[in-house]
Amino acid sequence: MNENTDTGDGESIDPGERTVEELKGDLRTVEDPGALDELLAAEEAGKNRVGATEAIRARMEAVSPPEGEAIEEGTETEGEYRETADEIENGGEAAGSDGEDATTDGENEADASAAAPIDPNEHEIAELGPEINGIEDPAALEAVLAAEEAGEDRDPVKTLIESRIEAVSTEAASEDGEIDPAARSVAELGNALQGVDDVERLESLLAAEEAGEDRSAAKNLIEKRIDSVTESDEEGEIEVVPPEEKHPDLDHPTADKQYVKALEDGSYGDMWVYCETQAGELIDVSKEMLGKARELVDTYNDDYDAEERVVGVLVGESVADLTEEVINYGADVVVYHEDSRLDRFRHKPYTEIFCDMARWGGDPVEGTGPDDADWREYDEPRYTLFPATNNGRDLSAQVQGELDSGLASDCSGLYIEEVMISNPVKTGRPGEKKEFERVLHMKRPDFSGFEYSTILCLDNPSREFHPQGGSVIPGSFPLPEPDPEREGVVVEHDLELEEDWLRVEVTEYDQLDEGVDLTGHDVVVAMGRGIGDDPTRGMELGLELADAFADAELGVSRGIVTGSYEFDGHVERYTAEERQIGETGQVVAPELYVAAGISGAVQHKVGMDESETIVAINTDPDARIRDFSDFFVEGDLFEVLPDLIDALESGELDLQAVAADGGRSDGSGGPVTDGGRDDPADGSDPAEEGER
């Protein structure tokens, strides 16, 4: 039960009664850090929404003094600080009327951080993107930028913040009507026009462009915006024309699909988890997804006062024997289809079986739908999860397409929360906002390698995208402990398989080796693009270093697997995809992880960030991997690794000596320094981890 919190102005806020967007608006009036502490506690004890807790923490950063610096009532310092905070809150300039950065030359990092709503120096690049996306005030963003320049001064971070400043400044200018076409590029003008719905303003902008630079591309943008606004005023809502009517000359296979767009006011429920098996056993990622699904559904039921369930799905030969295990790992219901012809994965019958299970109990097309099921009352699943394995990726794409929904692939983070959307494709009207509830937020590393993207599967006004579904990278969630006392419902699915579904038959095959398992070793040595000067010698050094430990294996980054390096035959087999670590490879968590010549993109971080101690070797002092390493050696791996090997073979590993000889920590030539991560909790020397 959430409690009301006194904001200090005689008003109270109950975060449990507000959406995240409403809460963000209310937080602007709260100046008391104690009140914010109470709000945070109330949110964490209640719905515990990620967006809400982040918003409260950001506000706490904005109104709190620098850490360790007490501010007394009535002092000059307190007045100066409050003035700065008020300026940021009210959209004013934190530095002066000329709009310069919030810090002046000579101010230190603490001063800059105090004026900023968040301290960028306390965040990795991947974490910073979502943080600054919640800041709408250009002056506050300028303060964040100043804090970064006064602190770590990372170029990628500054670029990220500057991009956000440009975005919100463009939006603010658009809202205030201060758009000068001549002062903007065509792309900038296009962004600014999205906030303009007044036809007269748009026509004046068109006249200004014609009287100025007279760019055809710019005029086309303005004219299209005029047409869009005019149409929305006349029609009220966006007209949706089915593709079969819009393009009658084209062949649309989806037009023949029985279930496409057939659900009218459909009902949805439960979270379904496809439990992949190999050699008659559940694979680990299936267990991981069941544990995460259990956590999500329990929270969902508390938040929405519901009684939804985790449904495990098993398809294959002799899978009935696994139903109890699926329940032990978190499922409330297990639906299984067993057939000796399904001893190996075949995408056509597996897809048809899963989709029939999903529709089983609903009635998408009157008179032609599947029979009712006595264990459920909804039409289709609300959410579906699949493993991001070769078979899981294949199945997830086909199932979600057949069910006429979307898919977020290769996810590593999941949570359920409401979200406010202004996209007219989703709301039906330009300029309107609509709140979507019960939305599965699916986080995955984006292609830039700097941050995570959150994928949402949202309904359009004219159709329903259900189930909301995604595939999960193995190792993204902890392996849960099975509970042999758990009870659940087991349901056998019955469907006659059509011969056409089984038209491909494997008549003979060779059993390949199981491949290389990098998990479970004390030490993992990983090689990256830094081997480019001498690829074969680089891999030889990695092998020698791994051999110097009692229990170690050699892995590689994706750059090695996909690169065009030429290797001699004796090391080439160590560069295969089976040794890849990262988002699309293996996830490892050894006691000691040595990354040589690896820059540290988010995709690689996903595969090794849970390692107990991380030692990185790189010639670039600003390499991203430094932010999440325990120890960082600035140096050439061709010089550093031989010293490490010699030290291990002599029985004494001294990273400080290695730094003095083969590498350095910074431009001063000093010793190895701590990276961006905290030291090991037990205070142990990572050099001793995994020693012979």
Side-chain angles (χ1 to χ4, degrees):
M1 180 71 68
N2 291 328
E3 297 181 357
N4 292 336
T5 299
D6 192 336
T7 65
D9 297 326
E11 298 182 0
S12 61
I13 297 175
D14 181 357
E17 295 181 353
R18 287 162 167 76
T19 66
V20 174
E21 293 298 323
E22 291 171 344
L23 183 60
K24 288 179 179 178
D26 291 337
L27 289 173
R28 296 192 182 100
T29 66
V30 185
E31 300 288 345
D32 181 8
L36 290 166
D37 281 333
E38 293 179 12
L39 280 172
L40 181 60
E43 177 63 32
E44 291 176 338
K47 293 187 175 182
N48 197 24
R49 298 162 294 181
V50 175
T53 56
E54 288 180 350
I56 298 171
R57 289 193 176 98
R59 183 59 184 162
M60 292 169 72
E61 291 279 356
V63 303
S64 299
E67 185 177 352
E69 182 176 318
I71 295 178
E72 298 179 1
E73 289 290 335
T75 63
E76 182 178 356
T77 304
E78 190 242 0
E80 291 173 350
Y81 169 75
R82 182 58 56 204
E83 180 181 359
T84 303
D86 289 343
E87 285 174 347
I88 293 174
E89 180 59 36
N90 295 325
E93 297 169 346
S97 59
D98 57 359
E100 294 178 354
D101 288 345
T103 58
T104 60
D105 293 339
E107 285 186 302
N108 59 27
E109 179 181 351
D111 294 332
S113 300
I118 61 172
D119 184 357
N121 301 287
E122 295 179 356
H123 296 274
E124 298 175 6
I125 300 174
E127 300 170 342
L128 194 59
E131 290 283 348
I132 65 173
N133 282 342
I135 303 176
E136 303 291 341
D137 180 13
L141 289 165
E142 291 285 358
V144 175
L145 179 60
E148 176 64 28
E149 291 173 337
E152 295 192 26
D153 198 29
R154 295 163 291 181
D155 287 337
V157 171
K158 291 190 292 184
T159 300
L160 193 65
I161 300 171
E162 288 166 351
S163 298
R164 179 62 182 163
I165 292 173
E166 180 179 350
V168 299
S169 297
T170 299
E171 182 179 347
S174 173
E175 293 173 353
D176 296 339
E178 299 174 359
I179 300 178
D180 180 4
R184 298 175 184 270
S185 66
V186 174
E188 292 171 341
L189 181 61
N191 290 332
L193 291 174
Q194 298 308 308
V196 183
D197 296 321
D198 186 346
V199 175
E200 291 184 3
R201 284 182 60 196
L202 290 167
E203 289 176 344
S204 67
L205 288 172
L206 180 60
E209 178 63 33
E210 290 173 339
E213 297 190 25
D214 199 27
R215 297 163 294 183
S216 59
K219 291 190 293 184
N220 286 337
L221 281 175
I222 302 172
E223 290 167 350
K224 286 182 178 180
R225 183 61 184 168
I226 292 173
D227 292 340
S228 175
V229 172
T230 303
E231 289 175 4
S232 66
D233 287 342
E234 293 174 353
E235 301 174 9
E237 293 187 2
I238 296 175
E239 180 183 1
V240 179
V241 180
E244 296 80 9
E245 297 179 13
K246 190 174 183 179
H247 304 285
D249 54 322
L250 298 180
D251 178 23
H252 292 276
T254 57
D256 299 323
K257 285 169 59 177
Q258 177 181 353
Y259 296 95
V260 169
K261 300 183 185 176
L263 288 179
E264 293 291 340
D265 298 322
S267 59
Y268 307 94
D270 295 345
M271 177 172 286
W272 286 39
V273 178
Y274 172 65
C275 300
E276 184 176 341
T277 63
Q278 288 183 7
E281 296 182 357
L282 287 177
I283 61 176
D284 282 351
V285 66
S286 298
K287 303 172 186 177
E288 294 164 9
M289 291 191 300
L290 286 169
K292 184 61 178 179
R294 178 76 272 147
E295 173 191 326
L296 289 169
V297 169
D298 287 344
T299 303
Y300 176 98
N301 289 337
D302 289 341
D303 289 347
Y304 295 102
D305 192 23
E307 296 182 357
E308 302 208 358
R309 302 165 296 179
V310 175
V311 178
V313 176
L314 288 166
V315 181
E317 182 183 27
S318 302
V319 292
D321 299 336
L322 300 174
T323 55
E324 184 176 345
E325 185 178 7
V326 172
I327 292 172
N328 292 345
Y329 277 103
D332 300 297
V333 180
V334 182
V335 184
Y336 74 94
H337 187 103
E338 191 172 82
D339 193 305
S340 60
R341 294 170 293 177
L342 303 175
D343 58 331
R344 62 178 63 249
F345 176 78
R346 302 191 193 186
H347 61 246
K348 179 62 174 177
Y350 273 61
T351 300
E352 294 290 347
I353 290 169
F354 192 107
C355 290
D356 190 76
M357 288 178 176
R359 300 170 183 136
W360 182 22
D363 192 12
V365 180
E366 185 176 357
T368 61
D371 295 335
D372 289 342
D374 57 8
W375 62 274
R376 58 181 264 201
E377 298 179 353
Y378 52 86
D379 292 311
E380 289 183 1
R382 188 184 303 280
Y383 313 107
T384 53
L385 299 180
F386 302 83
T389 58
N390 290 336
N391 293 341
R393 290 187 180 103
D394 186 333
L395 181 64
S396 61
Q398 295 195 86
V399 165
Q400 293 299 106
E402 180 68 19
L403 295 177
D404 201 34
S405 190
L407 174 72
S409 60
D410 295 349
C411 300
S412 58
L414 302 170
Y415 62 94
I416 299 171
E417 199 171 275
E418 70 270 17
V419 63
M420 189 70 70
I421 297 295
S422 59
N423 187 335
V425 175
K426 301 298 182 184
T427 64
R429 290 176 180 270
E432 283 194 3
K433 289 186 177 182
K434 179 180 178 180
E435 183 181 37
F436 290 81
E437 288 190 342
R438 308 166 196 253
V439 177
L440 180 63
H441 291 61
M442 297 168 279
K443 298 182 67 175
R444 56 155 296 157
D446 72 2
F447 294 111
S448 73
F450 291 145
E451 59 181 309
Y452 285 85
S453 296
T454 301
I455 313 299
L456 310 178
C457 186
L458 300 177
D459 298 341
N460 281 354
S462 61
R463 64 188 294 180
E464 294 182 280
F465 289 99
H466 278 83
Q468 302 173 47
S471 61
V472 176
I473 300 172
S476 297
F477 306 118
L479 195 63
E481 289 292 331
D483 179 4
E485 303 300 321
R486 275 188 58 81
E487 296 182 356
V489 177
V490 176
V491 180
E492 183 177 7
H493 176 255
D494 183 28
L495 176 68
E496 188 69 29
L497 305 187
E498 297 184 14
E499 289 299 324
D500 187 52
W501 299 350
L502 303 164
R503 59 184 180 272
V504 176
E505 182 178 355
V506 178
T507 58
E508 186 177 344
Y509 63 90
D510 291 327
Q511 187 72 41
L512 300 177
D513 293 336
E514 293 184 359
V516 178
D517 185 3
L518 300 179
T519 62
H521 294 282
D522 292 340
V523 181
V524 172
V525 177
M527 308 302 294
R529 294 178 184 271
I531 66 171
D533 289 345
D534 190 345
T536 295
R537 179 55 182 157
M539 293 303 298
E540 288 175 341
L541 287 172
L543 285 166
E544 291 177 25
L545 180 59
D547 289 342
F549 290 96
D551 180 24
E553 260 294 1
L554 182 70
V556 293
S557 70
R558 182 167 179 78
I560 299 297
V561 175
T562 60
S564 56
Y565 303 103
E566 293 185 5
F567 299 100
D568 290 349
H570 67 289
V571 299
E572 186 171 10
R573 65 190 180 95
Y574 294 99
T575 66
E577 187 175 5
E578 64 180 0
R579 290 182 178 269
Q580 179 181 323
I581 297 170
E583 175 191 3
T584 53
Q586 298 192 46
V587 177
V588 299
E591 295 180 14
L592 176 62
Y593 187 86
V594 181
I598 294 175
S599 62
V602 170
Q603 288 87 340
H604 185 78
K605 180 184 177 185
V606 168
M608 46 69 76
D609 193 38
E610 294 302 317
S611 303
E612 185 172 330
T613 301
I614 300 172
V615 176
I617 303 161
N618 204 293
T619 56
D620 181 6
D622 296 320
R624 291 188 294 275
I625 198 168
R626 183 171 190 165
D627 294 335
F628 50 92
S629 296
D630 296 285
F631 292 86
F632 182 88
V633 182
E634 182 190 344
D636 191 330
L637 68 88
F638 291 99
E639 298 177 2
V640 175
L641 292 189
D643 288 342
L644 285 176
I645 295 165
D646 291 344
L648 282 166
E649 291 179 346
S650 68
E652 297 181 0
L653 176 55
D654 185 349
L655 285 175
Q656 305 291 350
V658 170
D661 184 20
R664 56 180 182 169
S665 65
D666 52 33
S668 65
V672 171
T673 59
D674 292 344
R677 298 212 315 176
D678 294 333
D679 291 335
D682 59 1
S684 61
D685 184 348
E688 297 175 359
E689 301 291 350
E691 271 191 10
R692 295 190 298 171

